[in-house]
Amino acid sequence: MTEATQTRPSKTPSVAPAIHYLVAMPQPESHLFEVTLRVLNWHQPVLDLKMPVWTPGSYLVREYAKNLQNFGAQTADEQPLSWRKVKKNYWQIDTAGVSEIIVRYRLYANELTVRTNHLDSTHGYFNGAALFFYLPGFEQQPVSVTIVPPRPEWRVSTSLSPVSGQPNTFYAPDFDTLVDSPFEIGTHRLYPFEVLGKQHELVIWGQGNAKPKQIIPDIEKIIQVEAEMFGGLPYNRYVFLLHLSAQGFGGLEHKDSCTLNYNRLGFRARDKYERFMQLVAHEFFHLWNVKRIRPKALEVFDYEGENYTPSLWFSEGTTSYYDLVIPLRAGIYDVNTYLENLSKEITRLQTIPGRQVQPASESSFDAWIKLYRPDANSGNSQISYYLKGEMVSLLLDLLIRQRHNNQRSLDDVMRVMWQQFGQPEIGFTPEQLRNILESVSEIDLGDFFVRYIDGTEELPFDEYLEPFGLRLSADDSNSVVPFLGLTVKAEHGKDIIKFVEMGSPAQVAGIDAGDELLAIDGIRVSADQLTERLKDYQPNETIQVAVFHQDELRCLSVTLALPRPNRYQVVPVEDPTPAQAENFAGWLGVPVSTIRAKS
């Protein structure tokens, strides 16, 4: 966020305090960052320090202060200062007559995700929100950070600007920028490259089969495609931080960088490599959509609590729509792969019962308590704003294209949002977003919003796909499997029921998530055998299912239901009309005849 758009209250005196952090890691194997905060030119009787409870881009209160230990405060001549902890993330230090305060603390860092901190013998990684305090009322003050690596060969990568003449020291113009600039410290590989006259870096930590010679040209293509959409790149330098790990998948966007976490061996198989490029396209798209084009509720961050908005379906979901489209436009995969990936996303949506319970706008608003905290009933009661927003964005794009003969599209909505809200960094309201969608499409979208964004009606895919020569086909390969309504997973030698669909035969019979599946009609059944076993039965037939429920043996009568589709495919209509073929080519850039027939 630029200084011009900040509206935080300021209590800055005539001589503003200088804020400097020193981050050391003398024993990285301990997973402890040792942080020293030095505040100069202080002229108040009390110094307030608060640690964020969340980080922008990941909408969950994560309580970063839980990892803090060994807090202490003193004067420049090492005289201790009295202090007290006021709240879970709030410290106060008595500073009457003291102009220089030194605060020291340690912070445990052993969680390798894109939104937390990780320190071990191989590297140190941290996010500002998870490591640094802010001084309430002084968030606009510049902050300098000095890194003290534990070994001479360790180096530092971050999007912050270095301070001339001060080794491993970096400058943030304000706390928001500090939070928005993660650090990677270690012996990572660094690959600089240039796109459209701007400097970029790919930073890779961890061992695996990632090949920079393959990855960088494809990243360059993604940058070029997205820059063309928005009319240029709004930064001088951008850093891609890539962590290769044993497991995990994710990314976190920042204004001038992103952090990516991907399977260390996930780059050889073509489908896995393409999924990685979708992740890159997603996080890079965010440097416009959400980092600069922000909902009003996120215009000024409240780091102490939830920042509620009903518009994450657009900020995240529309970005998810484009992370499928951008690699296609960049030539990383072809139209058949695109439609296959789109089909997988539609299948995910159509096989989650919660889509009929929770609207996209409510999912956005409740992100703080639901999406990142799934439980056994989540599939029945909620839907991801990423997924539903992605599908709603598909329909909006097709609606605009069909009405304007591909001369307008969702791209135009993004450009107008960028011009009106992103460039000046003014937060948008839900009403303003809808107004722009309506102005570009020249359609009253009131009914669309009521049904598909603020409501839970089934998305009419065929209605929107048909003008483009496509339709949605339900895969009937599962038509011989009666519907039971549960999901089973093998765990530690047991077959545990992880999910039971509300209203399904299993739920009506009294089977619960957490039960251990034992047998059907007296014969043992495992998770990997269940589908085959059900093929021996017919819909409306009653079977006996044996489970352990809280270690108690139960034999339950379950009446099976009609089969359900478990896969959907976007396929061409028979004999597309010239208009349909023209629309398809205008949307995806190739003739509809390019689509391979499905076996």
Side-chain angles (χ1 to χ4, degrees):
M1 181 171 292
T2 61
E3 293 186 14
T5 62
Q6 284 283 352
T7 58
R8 297 184 190 277
S10 176
K11 57 181 181 182
T12 306
S14 56
V15 179
I19 305 169
H20 176 262
Y21 276 100
L22 185 145
V23 180
M25 52 215 83
Q27 294 181 306
E29 295 83 359
S30 71
H31 311 295
L32 288 171
F33 283 110
E34 298 192 359
V35 185
T36 302
L37 164 62
R38 187 180 297 267
V39 180
L40 302 173
N41 302 323
W42 187 250
H43 300 284
Q44 298 191 27
V46 175
L47 174 62
D48 294 316
L49 297 175
K50 292 184 178 181
M51 178 163 282
V53 302
W54 71 288
T55 191
S58 184
Y59 308 99
L60 177 68
V61 171
R62 296 186 183 276
E63 310 292 17
Y64 292 124
K66 69 184 179 182
N67 294 314
L68 190 145
Q69 63 187 62
N70 303 117
F71 182 95
Q74 63 185 40
T75 64
D77 56 0
E78 299 185 352
Q79 295 301 308
L81 293 172
S82 61
W83 58 272
R84 68 200 66 85
K85 190 171 183 180
V86 182
K87 296 180 180 178
K88 62 183 180 180
N89 67 318
Y90 182 9
W91 284 255
Q92 284 186 331
I93 304 170
D94 293 325
T95 56
V98 179
S99 63
E100 182 175 347
I101 302 101
I102 299 171
V103 178
R104 290 189 173 92
Y105 58 94
R106 292 177 174 178
L107 200 129
Y108 186 72
N110 195 23
E111 187 176 357
L112 181 60
T113 75
V114 297
R115 52 196 173 261
T116 51
N117 304 330
H118 190 249
L119 174 64
D120 64 13
S121 61
T122 67
H123 82 141
Y125 169 80
F126 64 81
N127 284 280
L131 192 77
F132 296 124
F133 287 111
Y134 65 93
L135 283 60
F138 296 95
E139 294 92 336
Q140 292 305 294
Q141 286 303 113
V143 182
S144 59
V145 179
T146 298
I147 304 297
V148 183
R151 302 180 185 110
E153 66 271 20
W154 282 31
R155 58 186 173 187
V156 183
S157 289
T158 181
S159 60
L160 290 179
S161 298
V163 176
S164 178
Q166 299 182 38
N168 291 329
T169 300
F170 304 87
Y171 172 85
D174 49 50
F175 186 75
D176 287 333
T177 304
L178 181 63
V179 164
D180 202 37
S181 308
F183 280 70
E184 178 67 32
I185 307 144
T187 57
H188 47 269
R189 283 89 70 204
L190 179 61
Y191 304 92
F193 59 100
E194 183 177 313
V195 183
L196 301 176
K198 301 293 181 71
Q199 296 301 311
H200 299 78
E201 294 173 7
L202 173 62
V203 173
I204 302 180
W205 168 81
Q207 301 303 312
N209 60 8
K211 297 179 180 179
K213 289 184 178 180
Q214 176 188 21
I215 293 172
I216 290 174
D218 283 340
I219 290 179
E220 290 175 346
K221 295 173 187 175
I222 287 172
I223 293 171
Q224 291 166 346
V225 168
E226 296 190 14
E228 182 179 1
M229 180 188 299
F230 289 100
L233 297 170
Y235 55 77
N236 293 319
R237 174 173 161 267
Y238 192 93
V239 180
F240 296 88
L241 299 177
L242 172 58
H243 290 160
L244 304 180
S245 61
Q247 55 188 359
F249 171 90
L252 187 63
E253 70 276 3
H254 302 284
K255 270 188 164 183
D256 300 322
S257 65
C258 65
T259 304
L260 310 166
N261 185 2
Y262 205 68
N263 186 295
R264 67 174 74 253
L265 300 177
F267 297 85
R268 181 176 295 111
R270 188 64 197 176
D271 59 334
K272 293 180 180 178
Y273 177 79
E274 290 168 349
R275 189 177 185 223
F276 171 71
M277 298 315 301
Q278 290 170 12
L279 178 63
V280 172
H282 185 104
E283 302 307 331
F284 193 73
F285 197 86
H286 269 320
L287 75 88
W288 289 278
N289 193 26
V290 95
K291 293 312 300 182
R292 292 170 172 86
I293 307 171
R294 290 210 290 271
K296 190 71 175 178
L298 300 176
E299 182 177 349
V300 177
F301 298 120
D302 175 3
Y303 291 108
E304 283 205 272
E306 296 84 350
N307 295 218
Y308 295 104
T309 173
S311 300
L312 292 181
W313 70 265
F314 175 78
S315 298
E316 293 289 356
T318 301
T319 301
S320 293
Y321 172 64
Y322 276 104
D323 76 36
L324 290 189
V325 173
I326 296 299
L328 171 67
R329 295 181 183 176
I332 294 171
Y333 50 61
D334 64 13
V335 70
N336 288 284
T337 300
Y338 169 74
L339 292 177
E340 182 65 30
N341 290 334
L342 181 62
S343 299
K344 290 177 181 177
E345 296 295 274
I346 294 174
T347 297
R348 285 178 56 212
L349 178 73
Q350 295 303 108
T351 52
I352 297 175
R355 74 187 187 281
Q356 298 175 318
V357 176
Q358 187 183 47
S361 56
E362 180 184 302
S363 174
S364 302
F365 196 86
D366 283 347
W368 300 90
I369 59 173
K370 291 194 174 182
L371 182 69
Y372 294 98
R373 290 173 173 162
D375 57 35
N377 192 51
S378 294
N380 288 317
S381 63
Q382 59 182 275
I383 194 68
S384 164
Y385 50 81
Y386 286 86
L387 181 57
K388 184 66 176 288
E390 176 186 358
M391 295 297 102
V392 167
S393 299
L394 166 69
L395 299 193
L396 287 169
D397 192 20
L398 296 180
L399 181 153
I400 297 169
R401 288 176 177 276
Q402 194 270 333
R403 181 175 177 85
H404 295 281
N405 298 315
N406 274 309
Q407 298 305 302
R408 294 186 188 178
S409 70
L410 196 59
D411 293 9
D412 296 286
V413 172
M414 299 309 305
R415 281 189 280 267
V416 175
M417 291 293 290
W418 170 240
Q419 293 159 5
Q420 293 192 18
F421 300 104
Q423 289 180 320
E425 296 201 46
I426 300 170
F428 67 85
T429 66
E431 294 76 21
Q432 289 169 322
L433 171 59
R434 175 177 160 183
N435 288 341
I436 288 177
L437 283 163
E438 290 182 335
S439 68
V440 171
S441 64
E442 296 184 347
I443 301 172
D444 183 341
L445 293 173
D447 187 59
F448 186 97
F449 269 72
V450 167
R451 290 184 176 189
Y452 310 128
I453 295 174
D454 299 322
T456 58
E457 286 193 29
E458 292 281 20
L459 299 185
F461 288 105
D462 281 344
E463 176 185 337
Y464 286 79
L465 289 169
E466 190 272 339
F468 294 82
L470 300 171
R471 64 181 179 87
L472 192 63
S473 172
D475 189 340
D476 60 1
S477 63
N478 210 37
S479 61
V480 296
V481 183
F483 180 61
L484 177 57
L486 53 77
T487 302
V488 187
K489 183 178 180 181
E491 288 186 349
H492 309 297
K494 297 181 179 180
D495 296 290
I496 305 300
I497 296 169
K498 306 299 290 184
F499 174 69
V500 179
E501 182 172 330
M502 192 66 65
S504 68
Q507 186 267 320
V508 170
I511 297 175
D512 282 346
D515 290 352
E516 180 185 354
L517 179 64
L518 300 174
I520 291 178
D521 285 344
I523 300 176
R524 183 175 180 175
V525 63
S526 62
D528 58 355
Q529 298 169 339
L530 181 59
T531 298
E532 284 300 312
R533 286 289 302 279
L534 290 174
K535 290 179 181 179
D536 292 333
Y537 299 94
Q538 297 298 317
N540 300 316
E541 193 170 348
T542 299
I543 61 176
Q544 299 299 312
V545 178
V547 300
F548 275 135
H549 178 79
Q550 298 180 0
D551 292 335
E552 177 184 339
L553 179 63
R554 289 185 176 181
C555 293
L556 303 167
S557 297
V558 183
T559 300
L560 300 171
L562 292 171
R564 293 266 194 95
N566 65 352
R567 186 170 180 265
Y568 294 83
Q569 194 74 32
V570 177
V571 299
V573 300
E574 292 186 17
D575 301 321
T577 66
Q580 288 174 319
E582 183 179 352
N583 283 341
F584 181 92
W587 173 31
L588 298 179
V590 295
V592 67
S593 58
T594 306
I595 303 177
R596 291 189 296 265
K598 300 298 176 181
S599 56

